[in-house]
Amino acid sequence: MGQGTFRSRAAVAVGAGAVAGGLSAFHRALPDLPGRPAGLLETFLPWLGLAVPVLLGWALLRRSAPAAYAAVLPAAAWLWLFGGFLLPGPDPDRAPDLVAVQHNVSDENPDPAGTARALAATGADLIALEELTPAALPAYAAALAPQYPYHAAGGTVGLWSKHPLADARPVDIRPAGLGEDWNRGLRATARTPRGEAAVYVAHLPSLRLGAHGFGSARRDGSAVLLGTALAAEPLDRVILLGDLNSTVDDRGLAPVTARMTRPARDFAFSWPAALPVARIDQVLTRSATVVRVRALPATGSDHLPVAADIRF
C-alpha cells in the first residue's frame, strides 16, 4: 500500500470517528433544518455507538493505529450519554411505590383479551393503553376488570387502575388539520396509598419519513398542547404514560420533556416489536422518579409493552 493511500484511509477513519462522536455529543447544537434531520438523528441517537465496533474492526483489518484512535471520540461520547444505563440499578430490596405499564396495543391486534391478560399478569398498579378500538374495548375491559376495578377511557386511549380514579376527563391534544373525532388524550386523578397523582395518557400523532424528510409537524403541535396541559396541572405529582412517537432525546418533544423528569436508566426499546430500535413508549413523571424502566414480552401489537417502577 502506498503512503498516500494509507494516509487517505487514515483520514477517512479519523473523519468518521469525529463525525460520529461530534453528532452524539453535540446533537443539540444541530440546526432545525427543513425535513427535521436533527430530530431523526435524535430518535436513534444510541445507534451512533455502532461507529465504535466498525472503526475497531477496520483498525484490526487494516492494522491501522489511526482507525483505532478514531474510535475513542465516539466511544467517549456514547459513554457520556448512555454509560449510566450500563451501571447497576437502584436498590432491588426497596420496592417501588407504584408500577405503571404503558402499551400501544395496536388497532390491528388479533388477540385483545390475551394482550390484556398478559398486562394484568405484571401486577402493575396502572395500565395505560392506546389504539383502543370500539370493537376491542369490551375485551380489554372484561379481561382487566378482575384486577383493575377502576378505569377511564375516551377516544382511543384508556387507563386501568388498582386504585380509585377521580376527575377523569379528556385532554385536547388534537393538532391542526385533524377532525373533532380525533381524541387521544386523557387525564385522571389516581388516589394511591401514597397520595394523589395526576395520571395522563397520551398518544401523539405518528411521524412520517418521506421524500421531504422527517414529517413531524402534527406530532410537534400535539406535543405543544400536551406540554401546556401539563404546565396547567394543579397537582404536584404527575405521571405521563403514552406513545409519544419518539424518544426523549428528540427536540420535538421538548414542550413535554421540559416539564417532566426522564427515566433514570435502561434503553427498553419498544418499537417495532419484531426488532426494537427505539423507545417511543414513555413513562415520565413530575415530583416522582422512574427508577427502572423495562420492555416486556411481545403481545399481538407492533409495540412492546413498557413497565416502569416509580418512587415518590
Side-chain angles (χ1 to χ4, degrees):
M1 181 190 301
Q3 190 68 17
T5 302
F6 176 82
R7 289 177 178 175
S8 176
R9 290 179 175 176
V12 170
V14 171
V19 169
L23 289 176
S24 297
F26 304 110
H27 63 94
R28 292 294 183 194
L30 294 174
D32 209 6
L33 299 173
R36 296 292 311 281
L40 179 61
L41 170 71
E42 289 165 339
T43 300
F44 302 103
L45 197 59
W47 295 99
L48 284 178
L50 290 177
V52 176
V54 169
L55 287 170
L56 290 177
W58 188 0
L60 289 173
L61 182 64
R62 298 293 181 180
R63 297 181 181 179
S64 170
Y69 296 145
V72 172
L73 183 56
W78 193 92
L79 289 172
W80 176 49
L81 290 170
F82 304 110
F85 294 11
L86 307 178
L87 298 176
D91 181 3
D93 295 329
R94 181 183 171 189
D97 296 311
L98 196 76
V99 177
V101 164
Q102 146 63 26
H103 192 26
N104 179 328
V105 294
S106 175
D107 54 10
E108 298 179 351
N109 192 318
D111 186 15
T115 295
R117 288 192 296 269
L119 299 178
T122 65
D125 298 271
L126 301 171
I127 296 177
L129 305 181
E130 298 83 44
E131 292 201 13
L132 291 171
T133 64
L137 180 58
Y140 288 108
L144 292 171
Q147 291 178 248
Y148 299 89
Y150 309 101
H151 82 275
T156 58
V157 298
L159 175 66
W160 277 260
S161 174
K162 289 184 175 181
H163 311 297
L165 297 176
D167 306 322
R169 62 176 184 268
V171 176
D172 184 8
I173 59 171
R174 177 171 57 93
L178 294 177
E180 294 184 359
D181 59 341
W182 194 95
N183 182 359
R184 293 186 180 185
L186 175 70
R187 182 248 182 237
T189 299
R191 293 174 173 164
T192 79
R194 293 292 305 275
E196 292 188 343
V199 182
Y200 285 74
V201 182
H203 183 191
L204 302 190
S206 300
L207 302 174
R208 295 290 182 263
L209 184 60
H212 299 289
F214 206 31
S216 64
R218 285 180 172 174
R219 195 284 311 276
D220 295 349
S222 190
V224 170
L225 295 172
L226 178 56
T228 300
L230 293 169
E233 172 56 51
L235 289 181
D236 290 334
R237 189 176 290 159
V238 181
I239 300 170
L240 169 61
L241 307 165
D243 175 1
L244 304 189
N245 264 306
S246 197
T247 69
V248 292
D249 292 306
D250 185 345
R251 65 189 64 186
L253 296 185
V256 174
T257 56
R259 305 185 184 282
M260 307 295 285
T261 302
R262 301 181 182 194
R265 301 177 184 279
D266 299 318
F267 294 106
F269 295 148
S270 65
W271 178 89
L275 184 64
V277 296
R279 186 172 78 244
I280 64 175
D281 297 273
Q282 307 296 345
V283 181
L284 307 178
T285 54
R286 188 171 78 199
S287 297
T289 303
V290 175
V291 295
R292 182 188 176 205
V293 60
R294 58 202 179 277
L296 301 176
T299 66
S301 172
D302 57 339
H303 291 238
L304 297 180
V306 169
D309 294 346
I310 300 172
R311 289 180 184 165
F312 296 149

